[in-house]
Each structure stands twice: as structure tokens, then as C-alpha cells.
Amino acid sequence: MDALVDRFGRHITYLRVSITDRCNHRCSYCAPFVQRERKDILSFAEIARIVKTMSDMGVKKVRLTGGEPLVRKGIETLVAMLKEAGASDLAMTTNGTLLERHAKTLKKAGLDRVNISIDTLNAERFRIISGGGELAPALRAVDAAIEAGLTPVKLNTVLMRINEDEIASIMDFVETKSITARFIECMPMNADFDWKKNYVPIEEILKRDDVRERVVLDSSPRRDSSAAYTLALKSGKGTVGFVSPISSRFCSTCNRMRLTSEGRLRTCLPVELSVDLKEAIRGGAGEEELKNLVLKAALLKPEKGDYSGENSMIKIGG
Ligand code: SAM
């Protein structure tokens, strides 16, 4: 097997795939919305081909994201194609709005698990943060995902000044459902969003009494494979994870690359170092050529990320 190892000895085993740049939310901290033409977006067959090639090179974990992955028509077909292509651990990050009606069929098609993005449990606040979205369908999505067996179900909550007062209630929520909450530091991804004003470092949260009294504080902090520092809740039901891309980088153990909706294989979330796979595929690249391009991308992967440039989560896939 042609293993995918970068210049710093990191094995690339995880691919995040943005399958669309369209989204039915307009989250304040995310990307300014730019919709690309359909022809510029990778087809299902193109995505499956790349996943197959990368899976032959050792990538087994694949996460579908976007944009909102569930707005792409025929998503179950894509899921089945990717499972067949070798994505043995197939996950999705979704805002949940459309998940209730798809949960069972996605599971049947081969989706293993989901992360559902919910930044607040307050309906009015939810509308503000998501740019007009509704909380109720996202909450129903959590139950639908659990019922369909898309487990483990994780809640993704971007931590900001506007929702830092909800950490305890989000912990209550995941406790009642025996699922996982993941609090993620807000990254500077949208120039129109006052990031500095909203940024809350995870270490500040970990010092708070209302957090410390709820979790089993581990004497030897460990990160799970998703880079979250995960702690059990004292009740024994549910867990909480903390992801700190800004205050405590996890670059040295980074095992991921990202495929953008336009077919660029990107080596690092905040750094624009990528290789155009769409052009190669549409130009008739054979398997060897495609593998070499994937390897070339891996070798471009920087040692560390840098959040000073401008990015777009929708295009890159968060
Ligand atoms: N639409 C889907 C969703 O809402 O989950 C998938 C795409 S979204 C870009 C993926 C994840 O990135 C979401 O959990 C979202 O909250 C997170 N995200 C977007 N912008 C972010 C930022 N500036 N900082 C931290 N997380 C961000």
C-alpha cells in the first residue's frame, strides 16, 4: 500500500469532504456566502473516486461536511458509494435541519455517525447565531439520530461570548440523552464577524466552577482521535469534549486533509496549500497520477496551521 505520510511523519488517515458550498443557515462566525456553479462542484462519482484512491492509501475515516451536506440531493447514494469506496468510518457534520427525515435512510446507506451543530438551546439566540435558523428541527434531529443508531451522536457547539452562559444547560442536555457535547473555540473564519470580541479560550472554561463540578477531571489529559480533550460527566451519562484550535493547537498529531467542494485537496484548515484534483480527474488522470497528486498534497502539509489568513468554512468544509 502507498501510505500517506507527510514530511513530519504524520500519517494521513482522515479526510473531511465538503460536498457542497450551499447552506440553509448563515452562521455569523462562518463564511460569507458565495454559491458556485454546479459544474464547478465535484460530482458524486468524482468524490467517490478520490475517496477510493485515498482509502487505498490508508484513509479510512471520512467525514461529510459543507456547506450543509444534507442540502445536496441524493445524499444517501453518495453515502453508499463512499462506503463501497472504502470509507469504513463514515461520519457527517450537519446543522440537523434536514436530518430527521434522512436519519434512518442514511444509516441504512452506510453512514456510521453524526455531529450535529447546535450553538445554543435558546430558540431566539439560535435564530440570531444561525442567521434565521430554527432550533426545533435541530433538536428533533438529535433524537432521530439516536433512534436511527447514528452513534455516537455528538453536539458541536462553537463557544462564544454570546453562548458561554449555556455550558451547564448544554451539559444537562447531553446528559439526558447520554451523548457527547463538544465545545469548540471559535476560529477567525469570517472577516465580517468580530472574532476577537467573541473568542472564549477553552482554558478559561475549564477553570469555571460550574464546569469543574460536573466533570471527572482527568489527571492525564488525553485527546481523542477527533482532537477533542474529552471528559466524562460525573453523572456517568454523556461526555464533554473541548476542542482548542486556537489556544492549544493539535498540529503535531494532525492526521487529516480536506477535500473542498471544488475538488482541491487541502492540507490544513487555515492554510491555503492545496492540489487541484478536479482538474486532474477531468483531464483524464489515471490512478497512478491521482495517487501522486494526493501524495504531493500530503507533502505540502505545513508543520503548523496559521489563522492569520482569510478562509471560508463553507468551501473548505469545517
Ligand atoms: N453545515 C454543517 C454544520 O452546520 O454542521 C457543516 C458545515 S459547518 C462549516 C461545520 C462545523 O464548523 C460546524 O460545527 C460549525 O459550527 C463549525 N464552524 C464554522 N465556522 C466556525 C468557526 N469560525 N469557528 C469554529 N467552528 C466553526
Side-chain angles (χ1 to χ4, degrees):
M1 190 186 70
D2 321 80
L4 208 45
V5 185
D6 74 3
R7 288 176 297 145
F8 307 96
R10 294 171 297 195
H11 283 252
I12 311 299
T13 54
Y14 179 13
L15 179 68
R16 297 170 74 103
V17 184
S18 174
I19 63 167
T20 176
D21 53 359
R22 297 176 192 212
C23 192
N24 48 4
H25 280 173
R26 296 286 179 274
C27 297
S28 47
Y29 49 72
C30 197
F33 195 70
V34 189
Q35 195 167 299
R36 273 158 195 84
E37 283 187 54
R38 190 59 190 265
K39 66 171 178 44
D40 295 330
I41 301 297
L42 288 182
S43 69
F44 285 178
E46 288 166 338
I47 296 172
R49 170 148 185 226
I50 293 168
V51 167
K52 167 84 179 76
T53 298
M54 292 186 68
S55 124
D56 289 345
M57 300 174 86
V59 169
K60 295 294 168 210
K61 180 173 170 186
V62 174
R63 176 174 296 279
L64 303 181
T65 178
E68 171 47 43
L70 294 178
V71 302
R72 181 125 184 207
K73 289 205 174 66
I75 180 76
E76 284 84 358
T77 305
L78 177 65
V79 164
M81 287 166 79
L82 299 187
K83 202 72 187 181
E84 173 73 26
S88 51
D89 179 0
L90 188 53
M92 179 184 286
T93 299
T94 169
N95 61 34
T97 351
L98 303 170
L99 184 60
E100 192 183 14
R101 74 174 88 135
H102 286 280
K104 284 196 177 122
T105 46
L106 283 169
K107 174 74 187 174
K108 205 166 160 219
L111 189 70
D112 294 299
R113 53 209 178 84
V114 282
N115 286 14
I116 301 173
S117 304
I118 298 182
D119 296 329
T120 169
L121 296 173
N122 173 301
E124 183 47 33
R125 225 179 235 186
F126 192 92
R127 261 179 230 119
I128 294 169
I129 296 175
S130 64
E134 292 296 322
L135 173 64
L139 294 180
R140 289 200 301 273
V142 173
D143 291 328
I146 296 170
E147 209 185 304
L150 287 168
T151 47
V153 175
K154 295 182 185 171
L155 227 65
N156 274 8
T157 301
V158 177
L159 195 58
M160 292 169 285
R161 290 295 169 205
I162 186 180
N163 62 0
E164 64 171 330
D165 59 340
E166 288 192 63
I167 295 178
S169 46
I170 290 173
M171 284 182 182
D172 289 341
F173 179 78
V174 296
E175 207 161 55
T176 58
K177 312 267 178 203
S178 281
I179 59 173
T180 296
R182 288 156 32 107
F183 296 102
I184 305 166
E185 282 179 348
C186 189
M187 296 174 273
M189 294 307 232
N190 178 355
D192 297 332
F193 178 68
D194 192 344
W195 173 78
K196 281 208 175 102
K197 205 172 126 198
N198 281 280
Y199 171 68
V200 181
I202 292 292
E203 61 195 80
E204 181 184 313
I205 299 306
L206 287 172
K207 284 184 190 146
R208 272 170 41 173
D209 288 343
D210 62 337
V211 172
R212 294 178 78 84
E213 69 197 14
R214 300 289 297 278
V215 298
V216 181
L217 285 165
D218 200 326
S219 52
S220 55
R222 256 198 330 264
R223 292 186 196 282
D224 65 18
S225 61
S226 62
Y229 169 36
T230 304
L231 299 169
L233 286 168
K234 277 191 183 154
S235 63
K237 286 182 158 188
T239 54
V240 278
F242 297 91
V243 188
S244 49
I246 303 294
S247 67
S248 169
R249 300 273 179 82
F250 32 83
C251 302
S252 66
T253 56
C254 183
N255 61 351
R256 53 188 77 176
M257 294 218 280
R258 293 178 148 83
L259 182 61
T260 72
S261 50
E262 294 169 285
R264 296 198 75 91
L265 186 58
R266 190 166 169 128
T267 57
C268 172
L269 177 59
V271 179
E272 173 51 79
L273 279 173
S274 62
V275 163
D276 191 345
L277 297 186
K278 182 183 71 191
E279 193 187 31
I281 288 178
R282 292 188 185 174
E287 200 46 28
E288 247 351 89
E289 194 180 336
L290 194 57
K291 273 192 178 155
N292 283 336
L293 282 172
V294 169
L295 195 58
K296 181 177 164 194
L299 295 175
L300 283 176
K301 192 170 168 67
E303 187 172 14
K304 286 189 179 122
D306 169 12
Y307 282 87
S308 56
E310 252 203 48
N311 295 291
S312 153
M313 273 296 223
I314 279 185
K315 197 171 78 180
I316 307 165

